[in-house]
Amino acid sequence: MCGIVGLYLKNPALESRIGELFAPMLVAMTDRGPDSAGFAIYGDEVSDEAIKLTLRHPDVNYDWAALASRVETDLGTGVQFFQNNNVAVFKIHSDVDSATALISEQTPEVLQLSAGRSIEILKEVGLPENIAQTFDLQGMKGSHIIGHTRMATESAVTMEGSHPFSTGEDLCLVHNGSFSNHNRMREELRRRGIHFETENDTEVAAGYLTWRLREGDSLNQALENGLKDFDGFYTLTIGTRDGFAVVRDPIACKPAVLAETDDYVAMASEYQALTTLPGIENARVWEPEPATIYVWERSQPTGQPA
Amino acid sequence: MKTIDIAAGSVRELNQALHDQAEHCSEREFVVTNPKGAHNIACGLDASVAVDIHGHAGYFCAGMNKSASVTVHGNAGPGLAENMMSGSVRVKGDASAAAGATAHGGLLVIDGNAGSRCGISLKGADIVVGGNVGHMSCFMAQAGTLVVCGDAGEALGDSLYETRIYVKGSVKSLGADCVEKEMREEHLTELTELLNRAGFDDNPADFKRYGSARELYNFKIDNAY
């Protein structure tokens, strides 16, 4: 099964409330995915000269300050960080490659969950409600957010196998369904230099999009190519720095509902997850068509099938 | 008239109250508020009661319906009126995938669009859709009728048995063994009656009829591997 939820705010006045609006959406999908949950929130963007990393250490008492000063010394640059449970968000005046290389070399036990200028990914094994509490999702601010509740089918229930998956800067993916050709595709993508952390099928789809975008595809073109190359059942929601996209496989086995008002666009596996949103009674509610790409981005405000 | 607020109780309490009417019918009209996409609303009814659901319903709404008349004033999720035996179900908005799946009898009317696989494995019910139907509608449908006032998606009537399909708009593609057929007088009569029962004023003469070429479901050695 699995549940997917996404919320993209058109009205900036709601940005301070995104966590409060989104947490009940994630929790509403517990029946579809009680194994693990996670979300990617976009906002609190750093400047073009800086980057933001979400880092995780299994020990909640891990000395992040020590890591921050080591990074400052070695890169000779300023580092700011804040801790959220066993995760820390580092803001570094550097580029992603240098910072990532340094951190993985210095502290291999620290796992990088996301990298970019806007994205922060938080995910854990357990019930969505517990995960929302662990990371104080309710209090978060941002422009858009996508989340996932997992019922594992293709690989083990682990934090690493939880969604969202991110293999590129500010790009992440959540998935309901299963890919049949992920093993072969993973091998092909590895040969093209894409790095994978797990044996999970969804990570392969994220890696595929990273590869296509690197090759110069727009998000829309990357997803068009994905429709040709992915074999399996999928409803995907993709987060980007500027917005989000939704696509279903041509057979549309996995559910998806979209709702739009003047204030937001919301996506969920089931309408149940949308019922707590303000003004949902009068929202335009519809199901995305199979094999059709829907994109909402600040640079592409029209929104409709791209 | 009895009003049941799902937000204040549960779907199970609602369904129990509706099932109790099968033993002894004390109340003919039920109004359901705050459905909020809950699953299994008004399932397994077996009494001549009217149920009005105000809001959007989730999966399997009005499944296995017998005798009752259920109206959803909103959209319905997957598996609407699945395996209906008799009575009627109406959705004022859109219905998701597999509306009317395996339904044996009764009338299902969807004012808006239906998703994929509408009337899959239909076994005798009548389905009238005011808008479009998605791909694979009437897949392996055996008996009954599907009327589509809008367009039909890909692979309409794939592996069809004896269900009759009437479509007013375009058909993206026909499935295996589904063909367009002549609209004879008896079909116009049947279609007129179905449109009347559904309360749609579309002109029956604007529709085309589709049915099984009967080349697939009889055993033929050519079809064997």
Side-chain angles (χ1 to χ4, degrees):
Chain A
M1 256 208 206
C2 300
I4 302 180
V5 279
L7 181 62
Y8 169 83
L9 298 177
K10 292 155 79 178
N11 179 359
L14 288 174
E15 289 188 5
S16 61
R17 291 179 56 205
I18 197 164
E20 171 200 332
L21 297 173
F22 183 76
M25 294 174 66
L26 191 73
V27 173
M29 289 291 92
T30 301
D31 289 353
R32 295 189 66 90
D35 292 338
S36 65
F39 52 90
I41 185 163
Y42 292 82
D44 185 25
E45 219 169 274
V46 293
S47 71
D48 282 350
E49 297 80 47
I51 54 140
K52 191 158 89 169
L53 304 178
T54 320
L55 304 171
R56 178 189 187 272
H57 192 281
D59 180 4
V60 76
N61 297 314
Y62 181 72
D63 191 352
W64 292 107
L67 178 60
S69 28
R70 248 179 297 164
V71 174
E72 275 188 335
T73 313
D74 288 7
L75 289 178
T77 178
V79 176
Q80 286 177 299
F81 80 96
F82 63 87
Q83 187 180 346
N84 184 349
N85 206 279
N86 60 352
V87 166
V89 174
F90 273 50
K91 296 173 182 174
I92 310 170
H93 270 263
S94 176
D95 58 279
V96 168
D97 290 346
S98 317
T100 301
L102 176 70
I103 290 169
S104 63
E105 187 188 315
Q106 293 260 347
T107 56
E109 72 279 14
V110 168
L111 183 72
Q112 182 180 302
L113 297 175
S114 71
R117 295 212 157 73
S118 176
I119 190 172
E120 290 168 29
I121 289 182
L122 298 146
K123 55 185 185 180
E124 272 302 331
V125 170
L127 287 171
E129 190 176 10
N130 298 344
I131 287 143
Q133 273 170 12
T134 299
F135 296 117
D136 189 23
L137 171 57
Q138 286 273 352
M140 287 192 180
K141 298 173 180 141
S143 55
H144 52 295
I145 183 166
I146 65 175
H148 186 269
T149 62
R150 181 168 188 236
M151 189 179 283
T153 56
E154 297 288 298
S155 64
V157 178
T158 58
M159 191 288 300
E160 291 80 1
S162 313
H163 304 219
F165 282 98
S166 181
T167 56
E169 288 179 37
D170 282 321
L171 179 79
C172 77
L173 183 81
V174 292
H175 170 211
N176 174 201
S178 58
F179 293 109
S180 313
N181 60 342
H182 64 98
N183 282 324
R184 178 168 296 180
M185 203 180 246
R186 189 184 297 107
E187 292 315 309
E188 286 170 9
L189 289 166
R190 273 191 176 133
R191 279 199 293 278
R192 296 177 194 279
I194 304 289
H195 173 72
F196 293 100
E197 297 276 349
T198 72
E199 293 302 305
N200 183 281
D201 58 333
T202 305
E203 192 187 16
V204 175
Y208 177 89
L209 293 181
T210 302
W211 168 60
R212 287 312 318 165
L213 293 169
R214 200 181 68 192
E215 294 295 304
D217 279 7
S218 66
L219 178 62
N220 203 53
Q221 286 165 335
L223 291 171
E224 287 283 358
N225 282 315
L227 280 168
K228 290 183 207 123
D229 290 341
F230 296 147
D231 180 8
F233 302 129
Y234 53 90
T235 291
L236 299 174
T237 296
I238 298 101
T240 69
R241 188 176 170 185
D242 294 328
F244 80 160
V246 176
V247 63
R248 299 172 83 189
D249 71 71
I251 299 174
C253 273
K254 296 296 176 187
V257 180
L258 287 164
E260 184 165 17
T261 70
D262 289 342
D263 289 333
Y264 58 80
V265 180
M267 182 277 168
S269 297
E270 295 182 30
Y271 176 76
Q272 286 192 85
L274 305 176
T275 54
T276 47
L277 288 169
I280 190 68
E281 302 79 16
N282 301 313
R284 186 167 86 91
V285 176
W286 79 103
E287 292 193 346
E289 295 284 324
T292 305
I293 297 157
Y294 296 79
V295 180
W296 284 269
E297 284 190 316
R298 270 155 185 74
S299 51
Q300 188 180 337
T302 48
Q304 284 318 298
Chain B
M1 191 181 78
K2 188 174 168 66
T3 300
I4 298 182
D5 181 354
I6 294 184
S10 68
V11 172
R12 187 157 290 195
E13 284 166 16
L14 164 73
N15 285 341
Q16 190 60 57
L18 293 168
H19 293 171
D20 289 345
Q21 301 301 313
E23 286 277 304
H24 170 68
C25 193
S26 58
E27 182 62 65
R28 291 282 175 194
E29 289 175 44
F30 287 82
V31 169
V32 179
T33 56
N34 287 310
K36 294 184 184 292
H39 297 176
N40 312 322
I41 295 173
C43 277
L45 305 196
D46 188 6
S48 300
V49 295
V51 182
D52 281 274
I53 300 159
H54 292 279
H56 302 312
Y59 284 44
F60 311 124
C61 180
M64 302 173 283
N65 185 54
K66 200 169 163 190
S67 305
S69 163
V70 178
T71 305
V72 180
H73 300 265
N75 301 330
L80 168 74
E82 186 178 62
N83 214 59
M84 174 161 63
M85 301 306 285
S86 64
S88 65
V89 173
R90 181 167 206 128
V91 172
K92 298 282 190 178
D94 298 333
S96 182
T102 75
H104 290 249
L107 175 69
L108 169 61
V109 181
I110 297 157
D111 286 358
N113 301 317
S116 61
R117 308 174 190 88
C118 180
I120 184 171
S121 196
L122 192 67
K123 290 177 167 65
D126 298 310
I127 303 177
V128 185
V129 181
N132 308 326
V133 295
H135 61 269
M136 301 292 289
S137 287
C138 278
F139 175 57
M140 294 189 83
Q142 295 137 55
T145 52
L146 171 68
V147 178
V148 183
C149 299
D151 303 329
E154 286 174 351
L156 178 70
D158 192 280
S159 308
L160 192 65
Y161 292 81
E162 292 301 311
T163 294
R164 289 181 297 283
I165 305 173
Y166 301 98
V167 182
K168 185 173 160 188
S170 66
V171 173
K172 201 160 186 188
S173 67
L174 291 173
D177 211 33
C178 183
V179 292
E180 189 184 335
K181 291 186 163 182
E182 180 195 1
M183 186 79 108
R184 295 197 298 269
E185 202 51 47
E186 74 236 47
H187 303 119
L188 278 171
T189 306
E190 176 179 65
L191 178 56
T192 305
E193 195 209 324
L194 283 167
L195 288 167
N196 283 342
R197 283 171 65 201
F200 291 148
D201 54 9
D202 299 76
N203 181 3
D206 295 341
F207 286 74
K208 287 178 178 168
R209 178 169 76 102
Y210 302 89
S212 175
R214 302 188 177 103
E215 293 291 317
L216 196 58
Y217 71 78
N218 295 306
F219 178 77
K220 280 187 179 181
I221 193 64
D222 293 346
N223 293 337
Y225 286 107

